[in-house]
Amino acid sequence: MVLAIRRRRAAQGEPRTQALALGPARSLPQPRSQSHPHAQTLGPSRQQLQARTQGPAHPQPQTQAQGLGPARTQPLAQAPGPAHPQATAQALALGPARPQPRARARARQQAQARVYQPHQTFEGLSDRVCIQRYRLTADAMYHLCDLLRGSLGASQNTNFALSVPDKVSTALAILASGSFQRFAAQTTGVGQSTASRVLGQFLEALIPHTPDYITFPTDPSTQGQTMRDFLEIANIPQVLGAVDGTYVNIKKPAQDSHTFVNRHRTYAMNMMVVSSARLEFTDVLARFPGSSHDSSVWSQSALLRRFRRGEFTPGWLLGDHSYPLQPWLLTPLAHPEGAAELQYNHAHKRTSHTTWDSSARGVGCG
């Protein structure tokens, strides 16, 4: 019965069930021996099925390969996908994966257009407003721009680069207000990091020009003009300048912070300033902590050594009670007696306080 069914299927050309179960043959199997009595009716033997599954040990002739189609030399790649149906169902239920928070924030930043705030400079402001904001007149700030243009010139390869007036206005706003950089940056329209960078560039470009503007009178003509300017205030002759100390507030230093605490209980530097009758700084010494006394700063100054060498004879400075009385430094009398001494103290106060108060306002401290 079984043999009859197999003969009928072979005659009709129907595919064998074994071939369907095992898939397409990878190569042509060896021909079955014709001596077997049931070679045409029993179908493939066990050795032939095993050969179809594992593939032939040696390549077959080209004619046989053409009859069976192209032989597969590599195993079929498995279709990608989750290993378990349950994982596939969970992935479909959750939907597409959400981007990470950092990626979402980056996408929002890219979607938003960058906004540049307008820069506020001194250009177009009156002298009264310029002095209030920057402690300099508009003409003086234009002079600074021309002086530092070579060092502060904007790069041509940078979009929205700061101009020289922008940088000068930003730096002077910080120096004049004595405030934190963030507050000063808000008044000029630039960011805090930009304000910090601009301040460093401005100071680096300006410091080399210091000897051209802060210089003590040495030649006879300049000394004579300085003495005449002081004489017109209160008739004190041969005055070359008024000296005083002023505090410049700073942040708490990381090391030896107690040495920077001044008598006002704040962290500061004690800066010695010598001013002319025209309110011009002629000598500045700013390297001592706030706890240093004015007389101590004066005793270690280079200007004192120059006076001792006789470079400014005749001539002297005016100082308050914080300084010692010396041949080149006049101080008020502690206990004046008589009209002459009272008149001297009054003239000393008028001459020195005029320059001291203006100098303290010039550096933004007291």
Side-chain angles (χ1 to χ4, degrees):
M1 185 69 169
V2 175
L3 294 177
I5 295 176
R6 288 185 177 180
R7 291 193 188 98
R8 186 170 58 253
R9 289 181 177 177
Q12 295 178 357
E14 294 181 357
R16 295 181 177 88
T17 56
Q18 293 89 342
L20 291 176
L22 295 177
R26 298 183 182 273
S27 61
L28 184 66
Q30 295 294 335
R32 193 179 184 91
S33 176
Q34 300 295 329
S35 61
H36 195 281
H38 303 289
Q40 304 297 329
T41 59
L42 295 180
S45 64
R46 180 177 301 177
Q47 289 79 7
Q48 291 175 338
L49 294 178
Q50 185 176 3
R52 292 183 181 181
T53 305
Q54 298 179 355
H58 304 284
Q60 301 299 325
Q62 183 68 21
T63 55
Q64 296 176 355
Q66 292 178 355
L68 297 177
R72 299 182 181 270
T73 58
Q74 298 294 337
L76 294 176
Q78 188 175 2
H84 303 284
Q86 185 178 2
T88 305
Q90 293 178 354
L92 293 176
L94 294 176
R98 297 183 179 180
Q100 298 296 328
R102 186 175 300 178
R104 292 199 301 268
R106 189 182 300 110
R108 287 196 300 268
Q109 293 178 359
Q110 295 176 355
Q112 295 176 357
R114 190 172 181 181
V115 178
Y116 292 89
Q117 298 181 0
H119 300 154
Q120 303 177 14
T121 66
F122 67 92
E123 297 175 305
L125 301 178
S126 62
D127 285 344
R128 181 181 63 83
V129 178
C130 286
I131 293 175
Q132 181 181 3
R133 292 185 181 181
Y134 310 109
R135 303 297 179 91
L136 290 177
T137 62
D139 292 338
M141 297 189 69
Y142 277 116
H143 176 70
L144 267 180
C145 293
D146 295 337
L147 180 68
L148 306 179
R149 192 173 301 278
S151 302
L152 298 180
S155 174
Q156 301 297 328
N157 298 327
T158 305
N159 294 330
F160 301 97
L162 294 177
S163 63
V164 175
D166 292 334
K167 295 181 179 181
V168 172
S169 301
T170 301
L172 289 181
I174 299 173
L175 297 175
S177 62
S179 63
F180 293 104
Q181 296 180 3
R182 186 180 301 276
F183 174 79
Q186 293 176 355
T187 63
T188 56
V190 300
Q192 192 272 340
S193 60
T194 303
S196 178
R197 184 176 64 255
V198 167
L199 178 61
Q201 295 175 355
F202 176 83
L203 294 177
E204 184 178 355
L206 181 63
I207 288 176
H209 299 279
T210 301
D212 299 334
Y213 296 90
I214 302 179
T215 178
F216 199 80
T218 54
D219 58 277
S221 60
T222 307
Q223 289 182 356
Q225 183 61 45
T226 302
M227 292 178 181
R228 289 190 294 270
D229 293 338
F230 276 107
L231 184 65
E232 295 176 358
I233 297 177
N235 294 325
I236 298 182
Q238 298 181 349
V239 178
L240 293 176
V243 59
D244 195 11
T246 183
Y247 292 123
V248 179
N249 295 329
I250 61 174
K251 293 182 179 180
K252 181 180 178 180
Q255 298 179 352
D256 300 329
S257 59
H258 62 280
T259 61
F260 292 87
V261 179
N262 58 14
R263 57 188 175 88
H264 300 299
R265 302 296 180 183
T266 60
Y267 296 98
M269 298 287 295
N270 190 355
M271 183 173 68
M272 188 192 78
V273 177
V274 179
S275 177
S276 68
R278 299 184 180 183
L279 310 182
E280 298 172 346
F281 289 166
T282 57
D283 191 83
V284 175
L285 181 58
R287 60 183 180 89
F288 289 91
S291 61
S292 302
H293 195 267
D294 290 347
S295 60
S296 176
V297 178
W298 164 252
S299 64
Q300 302 179 62
S301 64
L303 186 60
L304 174 60
R305 294 192 292 269
R306 297 177 66 184
F307 268 103
R308 287 175 175 172
R309 291 194 298 263
E311 296 184 16
F312 311 113
T313 302
W316 44 68
L317 300 176
L318 300 181
D320 60 7
H321 294 286
S322 301
Y323 297 93
L325 179 62
Q326 296 175 341
W328 42 79
L329 180 58
L330 301 181
T331 60
L333 297 174
H335 304 286
E337 297 179 0
E341 293 184 354
L342 290 174
Q343 184 178 0
Y344 165 76
N345 275 4
H346 180 69
H348 187 286
K349 181 178 180 180
R350 284 183 56 193
T351 306
S352 59
H353 279 220
T354 300
T355 57
W356 294 341
D357 295 344
S358 300
S359 300
R361 289 194 299 269
V363 295
C365 48

